[in-house]
Amino acid sequence: MTVVAGAVCLGAFLSFVGLAIAALLAQTGGTDGGTLFDAYLWRVTRFTLLQASLSTLLSVLFAIPVARALARRPQFFGRIWLLRLMALPLGLPVLVGALGLIEIWGRQGFLNSGLRLLGLEQAVSIYGLFGILLAHVFFNMPLAARLFLAGLERIPAEYWRSAANLGMPNHSLFRFIEWPVLRGLLPGAAGLVFMLCATSFTLVLTLGGGPAASTIEVAIYQALRFDFDPPRAIALSGLQIAMTGLILLVLRHFATEPEEGMTGGRTVRRFDGASPLARTVDGAWIVIALLFLAAPLAAVVASGLQADLWKLARDPAVHRALATSAAIALASALASVAMAAVMIRAAATVLAPRHAGPAARGFAGTARASASLILLVPPVVLGAGWFLLLRPLGDVARFAPAIVVAINALMALPFVHRILAPAMATHAARCERLTASLGIRGFDRLRWIDLPVLRKPLLMALSFAMALSLGDLGAVALFGSQDMVTLPWLLYSRMGSYRTTDAAGLALFLGLLCLIFTILGTANDGRQPERRTA
């Protein structure tokens, strides 16, 4: 039954994407093959690779010490709020985050204003490659840090007690205990961040500073929005998929299967990091991460407080947008989490036999790859394809809610998969044989075995998916209408009509709503869970 459900989810996933691409390819008109790969395209390809590679490297290098510091300090004042703060950039609309960064790093921002007070000329320009890298680290470092932190927190308590009994120094602890876990997570996290940076659109358009800082995603948008050249857009998407897929294959070559150690389930207690130097280093990384993330968000709050919040709170348009955003976020998040969990479980089931056949390996590989490669299919391509498919059926707005929910669920699937897959693999390695020998199956296993252990990663995945859907603008921009207006679309509309004060207030509302949603996934992050021996 699990394999059948996984096959149905995979089939629905591939059909949804394939039909959208087929609809675009079926359009009349073509592209001269000689002009498809012109000098402009090669230039944007080089820039796409450059900015995505540098963004990934900086995000991962920043995330590792932050995750280690948080793992070594399971209890300190405000830890849970720091973790919730780290979930906010992922769910914020990209435009809101970019505006917050401009408030700090821009020409009239806090940093350059301080430099001018010191008699220095403007030394920081947020536009161009520097601004793109800064924004990508702001949005993606917290994601990588949370993924690394989740892996470090799964290390059995027995490892730390054995290390303490042996008197292992800090560098040996990192080499023999932490690094094997991080090494297993690194290719997946780096691949996810690379795909996000390679497919970045709004940030590049906002902070790029001109045609010299354009990416393939921008070229796809131009081919569809201005030229309406579907064959060129599909060819560009294929180039993007091939390019990023090659990078992912290289990263996967360095991936290692995590070694899941057996544990008695005792409370995890780390004995390292007690020295004053370790406390200082960990505190410094935590403070740096806090300032880096909180400053732009504080700028958004400061701008939002200047708006007439009471007037906005009584605006019926805001009420409708809030209800629409919440409904779409919840529906897409539940669909994404359910699809990811079923596909992960189905892939593990078909690979359970010692000598799984080619068909089983192919199914498992397709399920795993599809969860990541969906990020390479731009939402504008999916939306445009389904718009063309549904147009002959009448008013496309009737189908808008279902299409937006489906696109948001698929776009959240890679994040949900990265959170659930390691947790489910660890859980299966520790209890699969025992539950099978005891004959515990079906709902009884789900209720008594799976949910108590997987509740935290499930809630984290749900909160991530809800935050992503809440901040979506791409799908709504194509299907939005007077009957379906979300908070990001209302914010974008107010900005477009130069009602910047209202837009700042809506950005504040959107950030607070993201914070509320992320509390669902971080309810137990402020302290280590108490696990007792069964």
Side-chain angles (χ1 to χ4, degrees):
M1 182 62 69
T2 302
V3 177
V4 173
V8 170
C9 290
L10 182 60
F13 169 87
L14 296 177
S15 298
F16 187 87
V17 177
L19 287 173
I21 295 177
L24 286 173
L25 289 175
Q27 292 300 299
T28 57
T31 298
D32 183 6
T35 61
L36 179 60
F37 297 102
D38 50 20
Y40 169 75
L41 180 59
W42 290 120
R43 179 163 54 81
V44 299
T45 300
R46 289 194 299 270
F47 184 80
T48 300
L49 285 172
L50 174 65
Q51 63 87 14
S53 300
L54 291 177
S55 298
T56 302
L57 180 63
L58 294 174
S59 298
V60 170
L61 289 179
F62 194 178
I64 289 178
V66 172
R68 289 192 69 224
L70 290 171
R72 293 206 295 185
R73 309 296 165 193
Q75 293 182 345
F76 62 84
F77 178 76
R79 184 179 191 270
I80 186 172
W81 292 105
L82 176 58
L83 292 175
R84 288 169 180 169
L85 177 68
M86 293 176 68
L88 274 180
L90 186 64
L92 279 180
V94 173
L95 189 57
V96 174
L99 293 177
L101 290 170
I102 292 174
E103 289 287 337
I104 300 299
W105 299 83
R107 179 173 300 176
Q108 303 299 325
F110 176 80
L111 182 61
N112 281 313
S113 298
L115 293 176
R116 282 193 293 270
L117 289 177
L118 297 176
L120 302 175
E121 296 294 331
Q122 176 183 336
V124 178
S125 175
I126 195 174
Y127 298 102
L129 179 60
F130 172 77
I132 294 173
L133 297 180
L134 180 70
H136 281 163
V137 174
F138 172 79
F139 280 101
N140 296 312
M141 182 278 290
L143 170 63
R146 287 179 65 88
L147 293 175
F148 293 148
L149 177 61
L152 293 174
E153 289 181 340
R154 288 195 299 269
I155 297 176
E158 290 79 1
Y159 285 23
W160 301 113
R161 286 201 301 272
S162 298
N165 292 333
L166 295 173
M168 294 177 64
N170 285 336
H171 67 274
S172 297
L173 288 174
F174 177 77
R175 178 183 177 185
F176 295 109
I177 298 181
E178 292 179 310
W179 176 241
V181 174
L182 295 174
R183 183 178 57 190
L185 296 172
L186 190 59
L192 180 59
V193 173
F194 182 88
M195 284 190 293
L196 289 172
C197 297
T199 58
S200 178
F201 171 69
T202 306
L203 283 177
V204 176
L205 208 61
T206 305
L207 302 176
S214 296
T215 60
I216 295 178
E217 194 84 2
V218 175
I220 294 172
Y221 173 77
Q222 291 173 342
L224 283 175
R225 180 66 176 83
F226 299 110
D227 304 328
F228 195 71
D229 191 349
R232 180 179 175 89
I234 295 299
L236 291 171
S237 299
L239 173 63
Q240 184 169 265
I241 292 174
M243 178 187 69
T244 313
L246 179 61
I247 299 294
L248 294 180
L249 287 177
V250 174
L251 290 173
R252 190 169 184 176
H253 176 73
F254 295 99
T256 58
E257 291 294 329
E259 297 181 2
E260 306 295 351
M262 301 303 295
T263 177
R266 294 185 174 88
T267 301
V268 175
R269 181 185 175 190
R270 295 186 59 158
F271 300 91
D272 60 322
S275 66
L277 178 60
R279 290 177 180 272
T280 301
V281 172
D282 290 345
W285 280 113
I286 291 173
V287 170
I288 290 172
L290 174 63
L291 293 176
F292 181 73
L293 296 175
L297 298 177
V300 172
V301 172
S303 299
L305 291 176
Q306 298 177 10
D308 190 345
L309 299 179
W310 179 242
K311 177 183 176 182
L312 288 175
R314 293 181 298 166
D315 190 346
V318 176
H319 297 167
R320 291 192 296 269
L322 176 61
T324 301
S325 294
I328 291 176
L330 181 60
S332 61
L334 290 173
S336 185
V337 171
M339 182 182 298
V342 170
M343 291 172 63
I344 292 170
R345 179 64 181 167
T349 301
V350 298
L351 293 178
R354 185 178 297 272
H355 301 289
R361 293 195 298 270
F363 171 80
T366 303
R368 292 170 178 171
S370 61
S372 297
L373 293 179
I374 184 58
L375 281 179
L376 301 182
V377 183
V380 66
V381 171
L382 291 177
W386 276 98
F387 181 87
L388 296 174
L389 282 171
L390 297 174
R391 188 169 56 178
L393 301 179
D395 186 11
V396 178
R398 293 182 302 162
F399 308 97
I403 297 300
V404 172
V405 167
I407 292 178
N408 287 348
L410 293 184
M411 291 298 114
L413 192 61
F415 304 93
V416 174
H417 190 276
R418 296 295 183 198
I419 295 172
L420 292 183
M424 292 180 68
T426 299
H427 176 60
R430 292 175 178 175
C431 70
E432 188 71 29
R433 293 182 181 179
L434 180 60
T435 53
S437 64
L438 294 176
I440 304 176
R441 299 183 180 87
F443 181 75
D444 289 336
R445 168 175 174 154
L446 180 65
R447 179 182 179 184
W448 300 110
I449 305 298
D450 295 334
L451 285 182
V453 176
L454 297 177
R455 180 177 56 186
K456 181 177 176 179
L458 284 171
L459 287 176
M460 182 185 294
L462 185 70
S463 69
F464 265 53
M466 291 178 70
L468 280 172
S469 178
L470 184 67
D472 171 69
L473 184 61
V476 176
L478 287 172
F479 289 93
S481 63
Q482 293 182 351
D483 297 327
M484 195 188 76
V485 177
T486 62
L487 273 180
W489 180 249
L490 185 62
L491 168 62
Y492 181 78
S493 299
R494 297 288 170 91
M495 291 184 64
S497 59
Y498 298 101
R499 299 170 63 179
T500 55
T501 304
D502 284 354
L506 291 174
L508 179 58
F509 285 163
L510 198 53
L512 292 176
L513 191 57
C514 286
L515 178 61
I516 293 173
F517 282 166
T518 56
I519 290 176
L520 292 173
T522 56
N524 295 320
D525 283 344
R527 57 182 177 85
Q528 290 287 352
E530 294 184 3
R531 299 180 296 179
R532 292 181 172 86
T533 305

